[in-house]
Amino acid sequence: MADQVKKPLKITETVLRDAHQSLIATRMTTEQMLPIIDKMDKVGYHSVECWGGATFDASLRFLKEDPWERLRKLRDGFKNTKLQMLFRGQNILGYNHYADDVVEYFVQKSIANGIDIIRIFDCFNDLRNLKSSVEAVKLVKKENPNAHAQIALCYTLGDAYTLDYWKETAKRIEDMGADSICIKDMAGLLVPAKATELVQALKDGSSLPIQMHTHYTSGVASMTYMKAVEAGADIIDTAMSPFSMGTSQPATEVMVEAFKGTEYDTGLDQNLLAEIAAYFQPMREEALKSGLMNTKVLGVNIKTLLYQVPGGMLSNLVSQLKEAGAEDKYQAVLEEIPKVRKDFGEPPLVTPSSQIVGTQAVLNVLQGERYKMITKESKKVLMGEFGQTIKPFNPEVQKKAIGDATPITCRPADLIEPQLEKFKNDPVVQQYKQQDEDVLSYALFPAVATEFFKYREAQQKKVDPAKADTENKAYPV
């Protein structure tokens, strides 16, 4: 038999970001990460995803850690491995659009502090909302050749999302100057046969490397990876086994074993991976014991495929209905979601569009009349403030929401004046700033960052050891 042409599959490890974000609400601390970095650095990963997404907010808000300091420590430890982050386009890591000068500065500082690959996405797949992020990476790339802009396409279903749509979008991404494309299947909707078609369409549309990202929520993820790789995907996202499966990614060791001895053999060392898994295992057990890891997120949620609703969105709906004492309306809300999504131009359901569509569906059902009450976020969507959806909005619903106002049709950030100087000169920043990066922490999360700055200052003052509650890291001010 002729020798197989070797096409080793590359692996991006998510245990330091998406895995713990998905399973334990982003509560892994920097101190928990640092002791295992040396071993992880020897694996030969394509990259380690360790920053961005919800880690920035959670570090400041819940862990009382400086996310920039975390990144610098990780960079010091990972001497041979590329570091990767998730970036919400014009929203950066927050929930609103920011001016281009803030986006550009955030990209510069992320790379200066240690990030190599920036995975950029937009909840509507509106490429205009990714333009300034990609251009900012390209600018840094002149000085730092490791800087890499990856555009993530949010995978979703609907009659507008044809293979031609994906193929054409891939071509536009390559024309924008991105370095690679990621299929971001945040809800676990991509089934194996469709993965084959999708990867082939993206390969037809561009010559860029293709990375696959999915979640195990619906139970098909590892089969989807197998088919995607056979169709030509170059890189897959996986998580070390103690933080894999459920609403996280397929397990790293399992995928390495699945491709062993094939033309896609990763060449990664299972003994080394086993040592790394053993390090994370007690963390998993502790999280299960404390209730931080809920067993509900570890099983298969087939409703994800039936209603095309991400797992996190389903749990949100349940709690909203519980608060309203209307749990019996769950089925009605599930049936209302696709209707609202259609009225809103069929956007992918990912933060923040999933929350906006879900909340509006709950209101429509509870009020007994569709769009009797319209949330301010729904109005923003229908005004065009989040960007352009693949299909037009339902004109009647839009009229009901915004009246005679003229909707925005340009790139929303074109209407935002430069903001960076304003943030730099803000009295809070002037009072507490210890590093340039504090300006960005404050720009994204003013209230949360202010609390963190006060905490940091109190910690840095001399503390009487007798009064210090070192166990909870709570120090008297």
Side-chain angles (χ1 to χ4, degrees):
M1 200 176 101
D3 280 350
Q4 288 175 324
V5 178
K6 295 263 187 282
K7 290 181 277 190
L9 174 65
K10 296 173 181 173
I11 302 272
T12 290
E13 176 58 63
T14 67
V15 71
L16 301 185
R17 204 286 297 177
D18 200 8
H20 74 100
Q21 180 174 319
S22 299
L23 294 182
I24 58 166
T26 332
R27 294 300 199 276
M28 199 183 287
T29 66
T30 305
E31 293 311 310
Q32 287 177 305
M33 297 174 184
L34 294 179
I36 196 63
I37 287 178
D38 193 41
K39 274 192 180 133
M40 288 181 73
D41 196 32
K42 292 185 172 82
V43 170
Y45 289 120
H46 166 71
S47 64
V48 169
E49 193 203 35
C50 60
W51 211 62
T55 62
F56 197 93
D57 183 5
S59 293
L60 291 167
R61 192 186 300 264
F62 303 115
L63 305 176
K64 293 287 179 272
E65 286 187 11
D66 178 15
W68 299 100
E69 189 56 31
R70 170 182 294 187
L71 177 53
R72 289 190 286 265
K73 285 178 174 174
L74 292 171
R75 180 72 282 168
D76 284 348
F78 281 108
K79 308 231 183 303
N80 309 301
T81 310
K82 288 187 173 177
L83 299 185
Q84 184 168 321
M85 74 174 290
L86 183 67
F87 194 94
R88 296 191 191 110
Q90 212 67 33
N91 291 0
I92 309 179
L93 303 177
Y95 306 102
N96 300 300
H97 274 37
Y98 293 90
D100 289 338
D101 61 345
V102 180
V103 172
E104 189 172 310
Y105 193 51
F106 203 102
V107 166
Q108 286 168 2
K109 285 295 181 190
S110 300
I111 296 170
N113 280 277
I115 289 295
D116 300 293
I117 301 167
I118 301 189
R119 177 180 289 173
I120 311 158
F121 80 97
D122 175 69
C123 72
F124 286 178
N125 288 334
D126 184 344
L127 298 188
R128 300 173 309 167
N129 291 337
L130 308 176
K131 179 172 142 272
S132 53
S133 319
V134 173
E135 283 175 1
V137 177
K138 280 158 73 177
L139 206 62
V140 177
K141 201 171 183 164
K142 290 175 184 171
E143 306 292 320
N144 180 347
N146 277 341
H148 179 113
Q150 179 179 82
I151 286 188
L153 286 172
C154 298
Y155 178 73
T156 192
L157 303 167
D159 54 10
Y161 295 94
T162 61
L163 290 173
D164 279 343
Y165 162 80
W166 295 114
K167 181 177 165 180
E168 183 54 36
T169 307
K171 185 180 183 311
R172 287 172 59 205
I173 288 170
E174 187 163 26
D175 292 345
M176 276 175 80
D179 299 298
S180 61
I181 297 173
C182 172
I183 299 164
K184 181 179 168 61
D185 179 25
M186 58 281 165
L189 296 176
L190 185 59
V191 295
K194 293 294 178 194
T196 302
E197 293 175 3
L198 179 57
V199 171
Q200 284 169 346
L202 295 178
K203 287 274 178 189
D204 288 346
S206 91
S207 60
L208 296 177
I210 306 288
Q211 183 151 1
M212 266 296 318
H213 172 91
T214 190
H215 292 251
Y216 228 108
T217 320
S218 61
V220 299
S222 57
M223 294 182 280
T224 295
Y225 273 177
M226 182 70 84
K227 285 297 183 190
V229 171
E230 288 170 356
D234 304 279
I235 313 154
I236 58 173
D237 285 9
T238 64
M240 287 311 302
S241 53
F243 284 90
S244 70
M245 313 289 279
T247 49
S248 178
Q249 280 76 47
T252 305
E253 308 95 301
V254 174
M255 296 316 295
V256 166
E257 198 61 26
F259 289 106
K260 195 174 178 181
T262 72
E263 62 207 279
Y264 310 107
D265 195 325
T266 62
L268 302 191
D269 178 354
Q270 285 286 22
N271 294 323
L272 183 56
L273 292 174
E275 288 177 36
I276 296 165
Y279 175 81
F280 287 107
Q281 188 62 32
M283 274 186 226
R284 174 195 173 90
E285 283 157 22
E286 183 54 43
L288 280 167
K289 203 163 76 184
S290 69
L292 188 55
M293 189 186 282
N294 187 322
T295 49
K296 277 184 188 161
V297 301
L298 298 175
V300 167
N301 191 340
I302 197 59
K303 286 194 177 82
T304 301
L305 287 179
L306 295 177
Y307 299 107
Q308 299 164 26
V309 175
M313 188 176 167
L314 284 169
S315 49
N316 252 354
L317 295 178
V318 173
S319 63
Q320 283 180 339
L321 290 171
K322 204 171 184 177
E323 273 174 39
E327 286 167 277
D328 57 323
K329 300 278 199 291
Y330 181 60
Q331 191 59 38
V333 170
L334 281 179
E335 286 162 18
E336 177 65 11
I337 285 170
K339 295 174 189 169
V340 174
R341 182 175 170 238
K342 201 160 188 172
D343 290 337
F344 285 16
E346 265 188 31
L349 295 177
V350 63
T351 304
S353 54
S354 52
Q355 290 89 331
I356 297 168
V357 168
T359 303
Q360 189 60 57
V362 169
L363 278 178
N364 287 0
V365 169
L366 293 184
Q367 296 287 323
E369 182 189 323
R370 304 188 76 223
Y371 304 108
K372 185 179 181 182
M373 270 180 72
I374 300 177
T375 67
K376 67 175 195 297
E377 284 77 19
S378 292
K379 287 177 182 171
K380 276 184 174 183
V381 167
L382 295 163
M383 258 306 282
E385 286 183 37
F386 284 97
Q388 194 174 17
T389 48
I390 184 168
K391 284 196 155 179
F393 302 132
N394 177 330
E396 287 168 34
V397 174
Q398 188 180 32
K399 174 90 174 155
K400 204 166 182 180
I402 67 171
D404 294 324
T406 307
I408 295 166
T409 53
C410 65
R411 182 181 77 110
D414 287 341
L415 304 175
I416 305 174
E417 294 289 321
Q419 297 169 311
L420 190 58
E421 287 310 309
K422 186 182 75 156
F423 288 126
K424 283 181 175 177
N425 295 319
D426 189 286
V428 174
V429 172
Q430 294 289 320
Q431 183 179 350
Y432 291 108
K433 180 182 157 190
Q434 295 184 7
Q435 56 180 352
D436 290 344
E437 290 79 2
D438 288 344
V439 175
L440 291 164
S441 301
Y442 181 76
L444 265 57
F445 301 105
V448 173
T450 304
E451 284 310 301
F452 170 74
F453 295 154
K454 288 176 182 171
Y455 168 85
R456 180 176 65 183
E457 193 172 81
Q459 260 205 307
Q460 286 163 348
K461 287 177 181 167
K462 283 207 168 102
V463 175
D464 176 355
K467 289 183 186 163
D469 176 1
T470 48
E471 195 170 313
N472 295 311
K473 295 199 169 73
Y475 296 86
V477 177

